[in-house]
Amino acid sequence: MLNLKAGLKAIIRNPVILTFPISLQVILSFGMGILSFLGIGFFYYESIVIGDGEITEEFNIQFTLPLFIPLLSDLQQSLTFLPEQPGDSIVLTLVVALVYFSLVSYTMGMFLGSIKQVLSPSSLQQDSFLQLGYRYYWRLFTYQLFTSVIGVVSFYLLITTIIGGIIGFIVLLLYVLVPYIIVLEDKSFSEALGDSPKYVKRYFTKYFRLAIGAILSIAILSIGIQLLPNESLKYYIGLVTYTFIGSVFIAAFMHLLHNCIREEDLQTEEDQLVKRIVPKWKKWTIIMIVFLFPWLGVQFAKGEHVTAIQFQPKITYSEGVYYKANWSPANNGSNHTYTTYGFEDGEEFELTMSLPDSITSTDGPFFGEGEITWKVDKERITKNGNSTVYWGEEVAETSKFVYRLTPVYKNGTVYFTSNTENGFAELTTRGQSDEPMALEIFVMNNGNDIFVFQYKERFDPQTVIEVSEDGNYFIPRVSPVNPDDFKYFWYSKESITKDRIIELMKSKNETNFTIDGGPTYYDYPYIAVALLQQADGEALVQLGEIYEQQGVQTNISSKSAEEWTETLDALYGDVNLTEFLENFNKQNEYEGYEIVEGPDDREKNERQIIVPFPNGDISIYYVFTEQLTELEIVLRE
């Protein structure tokens, strides 16, 4: 208890100590934001954590022991809200790691040295905090390299043999006092390395109680931080509170170790601590750093400092449509291998992004911020007396996001997307949907078209992502879990017309026309219905060949692919987008078509499906007993 009280007194009497870890982490947030947008991997510092070593947004209690300097990564909180890039270059990653070690080592020297100035009345009183950082820099830098090597070797041994990993952990534990001995005793790295195991074994029981108190206190703090409603508050409150609590415990531990080494009485009088007179201007400077710098760190964590400097113009795409892939009858008839889409147009759909005026294959990755107006899911609550009804609704919302898009080359075409190892798209507007959502971006056709994929974070987006063979369209597959949680948006510099949507569907069918279903599937005829509605003669003729190979009698081969396409296009005519979609979308609806059982002028075991078009409907007559045996397409005279 006396050590903890001494640690608290040390921080209060020299509050400038708090500014070192705070300033370091704000600088790291600044750098990590830049590295994330540039696609450079970075090394992450970790303290001793009981539990998994991954930074995660899931709720869990962190049993952490702060060592040397309190950093938010001790609580498994990231210093950036942007995705952490793996990086393509090992050399660059190592350079970043060395820069990181340098920053942490210098700051650690200022931090621990300033604590020593308060604990030891006769030490370092004439040294400025910059001199303290330089005084211990090389020794602490060497220690970080030493522990990193031991950590990597221990991890490798843990994978190959558990005993080897345990030995590595014990080695790290035995040398955990090295930085404290370097600062308190002003010893060389090799001398501190020799003393550390001796002090760990000799004074372990004295350290243990203080360590347990630190772990429990920080576990309680981690629970409180995780209950905060958003990541910005978690960063700000976590940085301020953990810096203070962690600094107090580190100072308390240094006080305990200082007394143990000198075999002094632990009942040290408090007035042995150096009392510093802090000028008023310095107090206000410290207060500003402690409370204002974390806010600045939040902005850096969001990447605001990078997106604020844009060399590319912002381009607005005011033409947009929203489309979905559902479990339609055609999808069911193909055994869930064929995908249909339903589209919705609206004046509210709009996208603004920082992009080059014209994107070419020679362009490298580019980044920026954007704003999108799209549809999101909202949960609605209706109360009527004692009953409460929960229901969902799609509403238009405007969201902001940041992104890094990298080029992908496909069959001689280049498109830019966030869906790569070194790309990302991250929403900065939170809480608009009934549950957390994410997005992927595809910039295609030299920047003329942008496809945005919105999905719920709990689902894997890779299960539906697909790009057409020509690299010009985003053609997602239907989700095997819940199609309503996957939304697709197409924004363009040009008007999105009937012909452009038909072209997208043709490109999708050319890329992936897999039919796993067969004549025994009840909805098998609906694949032909969907292709008629899509005006895709090429795919229709291909389906006719599959039908005939399976023993289904059909008249599809009576026309060539070009003739079918010309006929179907004429049935649509020159209609506006709204009227076109009224007919086109039926192929994506679960009950979009009415089945007429046994038409009067046909055989009684036949069924009829009416496929509507603005300039005349098409009738499909088919015979289905135990399986599909006949299918005839009849055009209206």
Side-chain angles (χ1 to χ4, degrees), residues 562-578:
E562 293 78 11
E563 289 172 334
W564 275 116
T565 298
E566 184 179 340
T567 299
L568 296 171
D569 187 63
L571 289 176
Y572 272 120
D574 189 16
V575 296
N576 59 42
L577 185 60
T578 301

mmCIF file with all atom_site columns, all heavy atoms in Angstrom, residues 562-578:
data_model
loop_
_atom_site.group_PDB
_atom_site.id
_atom_site.type_symbol
_atom_site.label_atom_id
_atom_site.label_alt_id
_atom_site.label_comp_id
_atom_site.label_asym_id
_atom_site.label_entity_id
_atom_site.label_seq_id
_atom_site.pdbx_PDB_ins_code
_atom_site.Cartn_x
_atom_site.Cartn_y
_atom_site.Cartn_z
_atom_site.occupancy
_atom_site.B_iso_or_equiv
_atom_site.pdbx_formal_charge
_atom_site.auth_seq_id
_atom_site.auth_comp_id
_atom_site.auth_asym_id
_atom_site.auth_atom_id
_atom_site.pdbx_PDB_model_num
ATOM 1   N N   . GLU A 1 562 ? -28.948 -14.652 -81.609 1.00 0.00 ? 562 GLU A N   1
ATOM 2   C CA  . GLU A 1 562 ? -29.155 -13.262 -82.065 1.00 0.00 ? 562 GLU A CA  1
ATOM 3   C C   . GLU A 1 562 ? -30.638 -12.978 -82.270 1.00 0.00 ? 562 GLU A C   1
ATOM 4   O O   . GLU A 1 562 ? -31.127 -11.887 -81.945 1.00 0.00 ? 562 GLU A O   1
ATOM 5   C CB  . GLU A 1 562 ? -28.381 -13.008 -83.357 1.00 0.00 ? 562 GLU A CB  1
ATOM 6   C CG  . GLU A 1 562 ? -26.866 -13.031 -83.209 1.00 0.00 ? 562 GLU A CG  1
ATOM 7   C CD  . GLU A 1 562 ? -26.304 -14.442 -83.120 1.00 0.00 ? 562 GLU A CD  1
ATOM 8   O OE1 . GLU A 1 562 ? -27.067 -15.419 -83.386 1.00 0.00 ? 562 GLU A OE1 1
ATOM 9   O OE2 . GLU A 1 562 ? -25.123 -14.593 -82.757 1.00 0.00 ? 562 GLU A OE2 1
ATOM 10  N N   . GLU A 1 563 ? -31.369 -13.949 -82.832 1.00 0.00 ? 563 GLU A N   1
ATOM 11  C CA  . GLU A 1 563 ? -32.804 -13.747 -83.082 1.00 0.00 ? 563 GLU A CA  1
ATOM 12  C C   . GLU A 1 563 ? -33.564 -13.622 -81.767 1.00 0.00 ? 563 GLU A C   1
ATOM 13  O O   . GLU A 1 563 ? -34.464 -12.772 -81.638 1.00 0.00 ? 563 GLU A O   1
ATOM 14  C CB  . GLU A 1 563 ? -33.354 -14.907 -83.913 1.00 0.00 ? 563 GLU A CB  1
ATOM 15  C CG  . GLU A 1 563 ? -32.882 -14.893 -85.363 1.00 0.00 ? 563 GLU A CG  1
ATOM 16  C CD  . GLU A 1 563 ? -33.287 -16.148 -86.112 1.00 0.00 ? 563 GLU A CD  1
ATOM 17  O OE1 . GLU A 1 563 ? -33.471 -17.212 -85.472 1.00 0.00 ? 563 GLU A OE1 1
ATOM 18  O OE2 . GLU A 1 563 ? -33.405 -16.074 -87.352 1.00 0.00 ? 563 GLU A OE2 1
ATOM 19  N N   . TRP A 1 564 ? -33.218 -14.458 -80.790 1.00 0.00 ? 564 TRP A N   1
ATOM 20  C CA  . TRP A 1 564 ? -33.885 -14.358 -79.493 1.00 0.00 ? 564 TRP A CA  1
ATOM 21  C C   . TRP A 1 564 ? -33.597 -12.994 -78.855 1.00 0.00 ? 564 TRP A C   1
ATOM 22  O O   . TRP A 1 564 ? -34.514 -12.333 -78.334 1.00 0.00 ? 564 TRP A O   1
ATOM 23  C CB  . TRP A 1 564 ? -33.408 -15.460 -78.553 1.00 0.00 ? 564 TRP A CB  1
ATOM 24  C CG  . TRP A 1 564 ? -34.122 -16.773 -78.691 1.00 0.00 ? 564 TRP A CG  1
ATOM 25  C CD1 . TRP A 1 564 ? -33.600 -17.963 -79.091 1.00 0.00 ? 564 TRP A CD1 1
ATOM 26  C CD2 . TRP A 1 564 ? -35.509 -17.020 -78.431 1.00 0.00 ? 564 TRP A CD2 1
ATOM 27  N NE1 . TRP A 1 564 ? -34.548 -18.943 -79.090 1.00 0.00 ? 564 TRP A NE1 1
ATOM 28  C CE2 . TRP A 1 564 ? -35.748 -18.390 -78.679 1.00 0.00 ? 564 TRP A CE2 1
ATOM 29  C CE3 . TRP A 1 564 ? -36.576 -16.228 -78.023 1.00 0.00 ? 564 TRP A CE3 1
ATOM 30  C CZ2 . TRP A 1 564 ? -36.995 -18.994 -78.537 1.00 0.00 ? 564 TRP A CZ2 1
ATOM 31  C CZ3 . TRP A 1 564 ? -37.836 -16.823 -77.868 1.00 0.00 ? 564 TRP A CZ3 1
ATOM 32  C CH2 . TRP A 1 564 ? -38.031 -18.173 -78.121 1.00 0.00 ? 564 TRP A CH2 1
ATOM 33  N N   . THR A 1 565 ? -32.352 -12.562 -78.884 1.00 0.00 ? 565 THR A N   1
ATOM 34  C CA  . THR A 1 565 ? -31.992 -11.279 -78.283 1.00 0.00 ? 565 THR A CA  1
ATOM 35  C C   . THR A 1 565 ? -32.746 -10.141 -78.959 1.00 0.00 ? 565 THR A C   1
ATOM 36  O O   . THR A 1 565 ? -33.287 -9.245  -78.292 1.00 0.00 ? 565 THR A O   1
ATOM 37  C CB  . THR A 1 565 ? -30.476 -11.041 -78.386 1.00 0.00 ? 565 THR A CB  1
ATOM 38  O OG1 . THR A 1 565 ? -29.792 -12.069 -77.668 1.00 0.00 ? 565 THR A OG1 1
ATOM 39  C CG2 . THR A 1 565 ? -30.092 -9.685  -77.806 1.00 0.00 ? 565 THR A CG2 1
ATOM 40  N N   . GLU A 1 566 ? -32.800 -10.161 -80.280 1.00 0.00 ? 566 GLU A N   1
ATOM 41  C CA  . GLU A 1 566 ? -33.500 -9.105  -81.033 1.00 0.00 ? 566 GLU A CA  1
ATOM 42  C C   . GLU A 1 566 ? -34.990 -9.109  -80.703 1.00 0.00 ? 566 GLU A C   1
ATOM 43  O O   . GLU A 1 566 ? -35.612 -8.052  -80.514 1.00 0.00 ? 566 GLU A O   1
ATOM 44  C CB  . GLU A 1 566 ? -33.261 -9.321  -82.522 1.00 0.00 ? 566 GLU A CB  1
ATOM 45  C CG  . GLU A 1 566 ? -33.868 -8.235  -83.401 1.00 0.00 ? 566 GLU A CG  1
ATOM 46  C CD  . GLU A 1 566 ? -33.593 -8.464  -84.882 1.00 0.00 ? 566 GLU A CD  1
ATOM 47  O OE1 . GLU A 1 566 ? -32.647 -9.221  -85.200 1.00 0.00 ? 566 GLU A OE1 1
ATOM 48  O OE2 . GLU A 1 566 ? -34.322 -7.892  -85.710 1.00 0.00 ? 566 GLU A OE2 1
ATOM 49  N N   . THR A 1 567 ? -35.570 -10.305 -80.635 1.00 0.00 ? 567 THR A N   1
ATOM 50  C CA  . THR A 1 567 ? -37.008 -10.415 -80.337 1.00 0.00 ? 567 THR A CA  1
ATOM 51  C C   . THR A 1 567 ? -37.326 -9.896  -78.943 1.00 0.00 ? 567 THR A C   1
ATOM 52  O O   . THR A 1 567 ? -38.290 -9.123  -78.748 1.00 0.00 ? 567 THR A O   1
ATOM 53  C CB  . THR A 1 567 ? -37.446 -11.885 -80.455 1.00 0.00 ? 567 THR A CB  1
ATOM 54  O OG1 . THR A 1 567 ? -37.227 -12.338 -81.782 1.00 0.00 ? 567 THR A OG1 1
ATOM 55  C CG2 . THR A 1 567 ? -38.930 -12.033 -80.094 1.00 0.00 ? 567 THR A CG2 1
ATOM 56  N N   . LEU A 1 568 ? -36.541 -10.307 -77.967 1.00 0.00 ? 568 LEU A N   1
ATOM 57  C CA  . LEU A 1 568 ? -36.793 -9.914  -76.581 1.00 0.00 ? 568 LEU A CA  1
ATOM 58  C C   . LEU A 1 568 ? -36.549 -8.425  -76.378 1.00 0.00 ? 568 LEU A C   1
ATOM 59  O O   . LEU A 1 568 ? -37.289 -7.752  -75.635 1.00 0.00 ? 568 LEU A O   1
ATOM 60  C CB  . LEU A 1 568 ? -35.899 -10.732 -75.644 1.00 0.00 ? 568 LEU A CB  1
ATOM 61  C CG  . LEU A 1 568 ? -36.167 -12.239 -75.640 1.00 0.00 ? 568 LEU A CG  1
ATOM 62  C CD1 . LEU A 1 568 ? -35.083 -12.983 -74.863 1.00 0.00 ? 568 LEU A CD1 1
ATOM 63  C CD2 . LEU A 1 568 ? -37.541 -12.540 -75.063 1.00 0.00 ? 568 LEU A CD2 1
ATOM 64  N N   . ASP A 1 569 ? -35.530 -7.882  -77.038 1.00 0.00 ? 569 ASP A N   1
ATOM 65  C CA  . ASP A 1 569 ? -35.265 -6.453  -76.931 1.00 0.00 ? 569 ASP A CA  1
ATOM 66  C C   . ASP A 1 569 ? -36.430 -5.653  -77.520 1.00 0.00 ? 569 ASP A C   1
ATOM 67  O O   . ASP A 1 569 ? -36.809 -4.591  -76.990 1.00 0.00 ? 569 ASP A O   1
ATOM 68  C CB  . ASP A 1 569 ? -33.957 -6.118  -77.659 1.00 0.00 ? 569 ASP A CB  1
ATOM 69  C CG  . ASP A 1 569 ? -33.542 -4.684  -77.431 1.00 0.00 ? 569 ASP A CG  1
ATOM 70  O OD1 . ASP A 1 569 ? -33.281 -4.319  -76.259 1.00 0.00 ? 569 ASP A OD1 1
ATOM 71  O OD2 . ASP A 1 569 ? -33.493 -3.907  -78.402 1.00 0.00 ? 569 ASP A OD2 1
ATOM 72  N N   . ALA A 1 570 ? -37.001 -6.161  -78.611 1.00 0.00 ? 570 ALA A N   1
ATOM 73  C CA  . ALA A 1 570 ? -38.152 -5.473  -79.215 1.00 0.00 ? 570 ALA A CA  1
ATOM 74  C C   . ALA A 1 570 ? -39.364 -5.511  -78.291 1.00 0.00 ? 570 ALA A C   1
ATOM 75  O O   . ALA A 1 570 ? -40.177 -4.569  -78.271 1.00 0.00 ? 570 ALA A O   1
ATOM 76  C CB  . ALA A 1 570 ? -38.484 -6.118  -80.564 1.00 0.00 ? 570 ALA A CB  1
ATOM 77  N N   . LEU A 1 571 ? -39.528 -6.597  -77.529 1.00 0.00 ? 571 LEU A N   1
ATOM 78  C CA  . LEU A 1 571 ? -40.655 -6.682  -76.601 1.00 0.00 ? 571 LEU A CA  1
ATOM 79  C C   . LEU A 1 571 ? -40.531 -5.657  -75.467 1.00 0.00 ? 571 LEU A C   1
ATOM 80  O O   . LEU A 1 571 ? -41.539 -5.207  -74.922 1.00 0.00 ? 571 LEU A O   1
ATOM 81  C CB  . LEU A 1 571 ? -40.752 -8.094  -76.025 1.00 0.00 ? 571 LEU A CB  1
ATOM 82  C CG  . LEU A 1 571 ? -41.212 -9.180  -76.999 1.00 0.00 ? 571 LEU A CG  1
ATOM 83  C CD1 . LEU A 1 571 ? -41.169 -10.542 -76.336 1.00 0.00 ? 571 LEU A CD1 1
ATOM 84  C CD2 . LEU A 1 571 ? -42.634 -8.878  -77.490 1.00 0.00 ? 571 LEU A CD2 1
ATOM 85  N N   . TYR A 1 572 ? -39.300 -5.313  -75.111 1.00 0.00 ? 572 TYR A N   1
ATOM 86  C CA  . TYR A 1 572 ? -39.117 -4.234  -74.125 1.00 0.00 ? 572 TYR A CA  1
ATOM 87  C C   . TYR A 1 572 ? -39.323 -2.869  -74.771 1.00 0.00 ? 572 TYR A C   1
ATOM 88  O O   . TYR A 1 572 ? -39.921 -1.975  -74.186 1.00 0.00 ? 572 TYR A O   1
ATOM 89  C CB  . TYR A 1 572 ? -37.720 -4.313  -73.502 1.00 0.00 ? 572 TYR A CB  1
ATOM 90  C CG  . TYR A 1 572 ? -37.638 -5.215  -72.291 1.00 0.00 ? 572 TYR A CG  1
ATOM 91  C CD1 . TYR A 1 572 ? -36.785 -6.321  -72.289 1.00 0.00 ? 572 TYR A CD1 1
ATOM 92  C CD2 . TYR A 1 572 ? -38.409 -4.967  -71.165 1.00 0.00 ? 572 TYR A CD2 1
ATOM 93  C CE1 . TYR A 1 572 ? -36.700 -7.157  -71.182 1.00 0.00 ? 572 TYR A CE1 1
ATOM 94  C CE2 . TYR A 1 572 ? -38.319 -5.799  -70.053 1.00 0.00 ? 572 TYR A CE2 1
ATOM 95  C CZ  . TYR A 1 572 ? -37.472 -6.881  -70.058 1.00 0.00 ? 572 TYR A CZ  1
ATOM 96  O OH  . TYR A 1 572 ? -37.403 -7.703  -68.955 1.00 0.00 ? 572 TYR A OH  1
ATOM 97  N N   . GLY A 1 573 ? -38.796 -2.729  -75.968 1.00 0.00 ? 573 GLY A N   1
ATOM 98  C CA  . GLY A 1 573 ? -38.940 -1.458  -76.655 1.00 0.00 ? 573 GLY A CA  1
ATOM 99  C C   . GLY A 1 573 ? -38.131 -0.358  -75.989 1.00 0.00 ? 573 GLY A C   1
ATOM 100 O O   . GLY A 1 573 ? -37.238 -0.600  -75.175 1.00 0.00 ? 573 GLY A O   1
ATOM 101 N N   . ASP A 1 574 ? -38.478 0.861   -76.317 1.00 0.00 ? 574 ASP A N   1
ATOM 102 C CA  . ASP A 1 574 ? -37.771 2.031   -75.794 1.00 0.00 ? 574 ASP A CA  1
ATOM 103 C C   . ASP A 1 574 ? -38.498 2.549   -74.558 1.00 0.00 ? 574 ASP A C   1
ATOM 104 O O   . ASP A 1 574 ? -39.172 3.574   -74.586 1.00 0.00 ? 574 ASP A O   1
ATOM 105 C CB  . ASP A 1 574 ? -37.676 3.111   -76.876 1.00 0.00 ? 574 ASP A CB  1
ATOM 106 C CG  . ASP A 1 574 ? -36.771 4.252   -76.447 1.00 0.00 ? 574 ASP A CG  1
ATOM 107 O OD1 . ASP A 1 574 ? -36.000 4.064   -75.491 1.00 0.00 ? 574 ASP A OD1 1
ATOM 108 O OD2 . ASP A 1 574 ? -36.863 5.343   -77.060 1.00 0.00 ? 574 ASP A OD2 1
ATOM 109 N N   . VAL A 1 575 ? -38.372 1.817   -73.450 1.00 0.00 ? 575 VAL A N   1
ATOM 110 C CA  . VAL A 1 575 ? -39.092 2.187   -72.225 1.00 0.00 ? 575 VAL A CA  1
ATOM 111 C C   . VAL A 1 575 ? -38.132 2.864   -71.253 1.00 0.00 ? 575 VAL A C   1
ATOM 112 O O   . VAL A 1 575 ? -36.917 2.713   -71.331 1.00 0.00 ? 575 VAL A O   1
ATOM 113 C CB  . VAL A 1 575 ? -39.728 0.953   -71.549 1.00 0.00 ? 575 VAL A CB  1
ATOM 114 C CG1 . VAL A 1 575 ? -40.787 0.351   -72.446 1.00 0.00 ? 575 VAL A CG1 1
ATOM 115 C CG2 . VAL A 1 575 ? -38.659 -0.080  -71.205 1.00 0.00 ? 575 VAL A CG2 1
ATOM 116 N N   . ASN A 1 576 ? -38.722 3.620   -70.333 1.00 0.00 ? 576 ASN A N   1
ATOM 117 C CA  . ASN A 1 576 ? -37.878 4.228   -69.305 1.00 0.00 ? 576 ASN A CA  1
ATOM 118 C C   . ASN A 1 576 ? -37.483 3.174   -68.271 1.00 0.00 ? 576 ASN A C   1
ATOM 119 O O   . ASN A 1 576 ? -38.005 2.061   -68.258 1.00 0.00 ? 576 ASN A O   1
ATOM 120 C CB  . ASN A 1 576 ? -38.577 5.419   -68.647 1.00 0.00 ? 576 ASN A CB  1
ATOM 121 C CG  . ASN A 1 576 ? -39.899 5.029   -67.984 1.00 0.00 ? 576 ASN A CG  1
ATOM 122 O OD1 . ASN A 1 576 ? -39.997 3.985   -67.336 1.00 0.00 ? 576 ASN A OD1 1
ATOM 123 N ND2 . ASN A 1 576 ? -40.919 5.851   -68.159 1.00 0.00 ? 576 ASN A ND2 1
ATOM 124 N N   . LEU A 1 577 ? -36.562 3.541   -67.395 1.00 0.00 ? 577 LEU A N   1
ATOM 125 C CA  . LEU A 1 577 ? -36.002 2.566   -66.455 1.00 0.00 ? 577 LEU A CA  1
ATOM 126 C C   . LEU A 1 577 ? -37.065 2.041   -65.493 1.00 0.00 ? 577 LEU A C   1
ATOM 127 O O   . LEU A 1 577 ? -37.088 0.851   -65.174 1.00 0.00 ? 577 LEU A O   1
ATOM 128 C CB  . LEU A 1 577 ? -34.847 3.200   -65.681 1.00 0.00 ? 577 LEU A CB  1
ATOM 129 C CG  . LEU A 1 577 ? -34.087 2.269   -64.736 1.00 0.00 ? 577 LEU A CG  1
ATOM 130 C CD1 . LEU A 1 577 ? -33.468 1.116   -65.501 1.00 0.00 ? 577 LEU A CD1 1
ATOM 131 C CD2 . LEU A 1 577 ? -33.013 3.043   -63.976 1.00 0.00 ? 577 LEU A CD2 1
ATOM 132 N N   . THR A 1 578 ? -37.941 2.905   -65.031 1.00 0.00 ? 578 THR A N   1
ATOM 133 C CA  . THR A 1 578 ? -38.956 2.489   -64.055 1.00 0.00 ? 578 THR A CA  1
ATOM 134 C C   . THR A 1 578 ? -39.876 1.428   -64.635 1.00 0.00 ? 578 THR A C   1
ATOM 135 O O   . THR A 1 578 ? -40.146 0.391   -64.004 1.00 0.00 ? 578 THR A O   1
ATOM 136 C CB  . THR A 1 578 ? -39.775 3.702   -63.593 1.00 0.00 ? 578 THR A CB  1
ATOM 137 O OG1 . THR A 1 578 ? -38.895 4.669   -63.016 1.00 0.00 ? 578 THR A OG1 1
ATOM 138 C CG2 . THR A 1 578 ? -40.819 3.297   -62.573 1.00 0.00 ? 578 THR A CG2 1
#
